[in-house]
Amino acid sequence: MKRRLLCAVLAALTLIPFVPGQTASPGALASPEVVPLADAGASPEAGIPEPVFDLNQVNFRLMLVVPPEEAAAGASGEFEVLSAPSQTGTPVQVNVRREALLRISQIDRAVIRQDTYGLYHVDLHFTPADTEALASVTAAHVGRRVVWASRSNILADFVLRRRDTSGLLSLFYGNTPTERIENVLQILQVPYTHQVAEDLFTPESEADEEMLRAMQAFELGRTGEAMAHLRRALNAGGGDYPRRARGLLVLGQLYLEQGNNEIARQCFLEIRRLHQDFEGYIEALQGLRTIAGRIQEYADVLALNREIVERAGSDPRWADAALEAQGQIVQLEFGEAPDSPETRRDAQHLIHMLQSRIATVDPSEQFGLVRNLITVQLALGQTEEALRAIRSHLQHLPEDPATAMVQVTMLTNAVLAAERLDEGLTLLREFSERYAASHDVSSEEIEPVWDELQAAITQLTTAIEASREGLAPGPLPSASTP
């Protein structure tokens, strides 16, 4: 049981795979499906649609997305349909709950950013009051898909990964001329400033011209166009082209995304042979590891992961890559030789890496790491250490009750895995008492969470009784990580 639990949880250490044309939001709202005010795929000559905002007040709404089947089963007045432009010309339509989660009434300021490849982004900074409201709402809906909208138009579409305290929404404008972006902000009466990347790409050769076009197309999600420009750039620049390694990496990632393992492998292998000082070298190793996993060459996966851990070293830029690689090493070894000295040594090294990482991240981002730490400790039989980690984390639960409940449930499952049922029940009851002392459990917001907490205590009590009667206790209902 513990071995299966370890493999399942270590799989969660894998980072989000490469997706062409998507970048992480600078705020706490991660991995947005960005929909700009003007179509990101539009040509520089294309015009911006007529503004859809109330000109006297910028009125953004945060709306909860519902699956089509849920919308079809609900009352007609509960939902509305919003739309967003697309490069195909066919609007994307999304069902949302009619009542907004949040209305952002004011924007404090905007920053028009020009990135390395000359493409434009607009960062909208909300007022302190709206920032506080945003933090409360996002905490209550972790894991849910939402959209930012104005009237019936979608501005951004993303999943809430965690409580958002950034007060920032970043919209992607692509190659829309800056004058037209300024015009929209002036109409909205939003003060703005400009920011240009210090390392703005300035072409100095034919190869550079092609590389710039390739990277712009890549950022805009135009995969075929990007690949064609990359091939021309690499051919024009030759073996000594200074940007060759970057071009090979992006081209390899695009071929990898298309499932063309062989050509992707050739790109990554050239980086490995000739460009070991390249800043993206570890990304090339990750690409080779993905290919090895696809063709089930697990000895190569293991070797590449060890190289990633060694190359990442103590560089904070690659801390997540090293942690992911070490997690995969342990996962593979537990599948092949769970009791070998090497497996235990590598698992202990993973524990040290997790502990170091936990010490460097914000408390709001620690739980996934803590959960993995506890799982590995249990797999190694370090039950007392795991229970200490559980007790410690129960003392620092997030303020948001729903997120706290998810974490309590997962930690209690860890106690079940440790076969320390009585102590687990004590931990949960102690938390229940503290929770009741600090919350109005009869309130409409808190009552469902309180009911879930009591249900968890009841199920753990039942598991103890079953254990005493010689029956195998079952796990508590699983919950997704916030």
Side-chain angles (χ1 to χ4, degrees):
M1 174 181 173
K2 295 177 185 176
R3 190 176 306 160
R4 289 197 302 271
L5 180 63
L6 174 74
C7 291
V9 173
L10 288 181
L13 287 170
T14 304
L15 300 182
I16 296 172
F18 165 81
V19 180
Q22 290 186 356
T23 55
S25 167
L29 301 175
S31 302
E33 299 287 340
V34 180
V35 181
L37 298 178
D39 187 359
S43 66
E45 292 76 23
I48 290 181
E50 287 298 314
V52 295
F53 302 103
D54 179 341
L55 300 185
N56 296 315
Q57 176 175 288
V58 179
N59 185 17
F60 285 112
R61 296 178 297 154
L62 186 66
M63 313 291 287
L64 189 65
V65 174
V66 295
E69 60 274 14
E70 182 180 336
S76 59
E78 293 181 0
F79 311 108
E80 64 178 283
V81 179
L82 302 184
S83 62
S86 70
Q87 294 183 25
T88 64
T90 302
V92 176
Q93 295 189 328
V94 178
N95 294 307
V96 299
R97 291 196 177 277
R98 186 173 296 279
E99 184 178 353
L101 294 176
L102 179 67
R103 294 182 182 274
I104 296 294
S105 59
Q106 293 182 340
I107 296 177
D108 182 58
R109 60 189 173 89
V111 178
I112 302 174
R113 288 190 295 110
Q114 189 175 23
D115 66 20
T116 300
Y117 303 112
L119 300 174
Y120 289 99
H121 310 252
V122 175
D123 294 338
L124 301 175
H125 295 261
F126 302 133
T127 58
D130 282 332
T131 296
E132 183 177 346
L134 179 64
S136 176
V137 167
T138 55
H141 294 87
V142 171
R144 297 298 301 270
R145 180 186 171 197
V146 298
V147 296
W148 278 113
S150 179
R151 295 191 181 176
S152 62
N153 292 266
I154 297 172
L155 305 179
D157 180 343
F158 45 84
V159 174
L160 298 176
R161 301 297 185 191
R162 59 184 66 87
R163 180 170 179 263
D164 180 1
T165 58
S166 69
L168 172 69
L169 176 65
S170 184
L171 300 179
F172 182 48
Y173 271 76
N175 50 11
T176 301
T178 180
E179 295 83 2
R180 303 192 181 189
I181 302 173
E182 290 176 337
N183 182 56
V184 171
L185 294 176
Q186 288 167 359
I187 291 174
L188 300 177
Q189 303 177 14
V190 176
Y192 60 88
T193 56
H194 288 268
Q195 180 178 315
V196 180
E198 293 183 1
D199 54 347
L200 187 67
F201 194 125
T202 304
E204 298 178 354
S205 64
E206 178 187 353
D208 276 355
E209 294 282 358
E210 291 291 342
M211 182 65 73
L212 177 58
R213 295 188 186 100
M215 299 310 293
Q216 287 182 335
F218 169 74
E219 294 294 328
L220 291 167
R222 301 171 181 171
T223 301
E225 184 180 334
M227 295 174 76
H229 285 301
L230 281 168
R231 287 190 293 265
R232 285 197 285 269
L234 294 172
N235 288 334
D240 296 331
Y241 180 44
R243 302 185 191 273
R244 185 171 184 82
R246 173 59 59 187
L248 285 167
L249 178 64
V250 176
L251 187 60
Q253 289 173 327
L254 290 173
Y255 275 118
L256 190 67
E257 181 68 18
Q258 290 186 346
N260 193 327
N261 294 335
E262 186 53 40
I263 298 182
R265 185 172 178 272
Q266 292 173 18
C267 294
F268 298 140
L269 282 176
E270 182 173 335
I271 295 173
R272 195 181 192 189
R273 287 194 305 267
L274 303 175
H275 304 283
Q276 294 197 13
D277 293 332
F278 170 48
E279 61 181 9
Y281 182 78
I282 288 179
E283 293 177 83
L285 295 180
Q286 289 173 324
L288 289 170
R289 180 187 62 192
T290 297
I291 295 169
R294 285 178 178 178
I295 61 178
Q296 299 183 358
E297 295 288 349
Y298 296 119
D300 288 344
V301 172
L302 195 62
L304 286 162
N305 275 318
R306 292 195 186 283
E307 186 175 354
I308 290 171
V309 173
E310 182 180 354
R311 286 295 298 253
S314 58
D315 189 335
R317 296 175 303 171
W318 296 107
D320 287 334
L323 191 58
E324 174 195 20
Q326 188 67 23
Q328 288 194 14
I329 289 171
V330 175
Q331 183 180 2
L332 286 169
E333 289 181 332
F334 262 87
E336 293 295 325
D339 299 321
S340 73
E342 184 176 33
T343 298
R344 299 188 68 82
R345 183 170 60 250
D346 284 329
Q348 189 61 50
H349 183 44
L350 177 59
I351 287 174
H352 292 155
M353 293 174 68
L354 285 164
Q355 289 171 332
S356 298
R357 187 70 173 134
I358 289 168
T360 64
V361 301
D362 186 88
S364 64
E365 300 178 2
Q366 288 180 356
F367 180 69
L369 297 168
V370 171
R371 179 197 59 183
N372 290 333
L373 171 66
I374 292 168
T375 302
V376 181
Q377 287 173 329
L378 291 176
L380 290 181
Q382 299 174 3
T383 306
E384 294 303 324
E385 291 86 343
L387 289 173
R388 280 200 297 270
I390 292 171
R391 292 191 200 97
S392 175
H393 199 76
L394 279 172
Q395 302 301 318
H396 302 92
L397 288 169
E399 295 180 4
D400 168 54
T403 307
M405 188 58 239
V406 169
Q407 296 191 9
V408 168
T409 303
M410 286 188 171
L411 292 169
T412 307
N413 271 321
V415 175
L416 278 170
E419 300 176 357
R420 299 288 285 268
L421 305 181
D422 291 305
E423 187 160 5
L425 182 59
T426 299
L427 288 172
L428 204 56
R429 282 175 171 164
E430 288 177 353
F431 170 78
S432 176
E433 292 173 3
R434 292 199 308 273
Y435 193 73
S438 58
H439 297 80
D440 179 6
V441 297
S442 64
S443 70
E444 183 178 352
E445 178 188 8
I446 300 299
E447 186 176 12
V449 181
W450 176 252
D451 289 344
E452 283 190 49
L453 181 57
Q454 298 311 304
I457 291 174
T458 298
Q459 186 155 352
L460 189 52
T461 302
T462 301
I464 292 173
E465 293 172 353
S467 177
R468 288 171 180 166
E469 294 174 3
L471 302 175
L476 293 171
S478 61
S480 56
T481 306

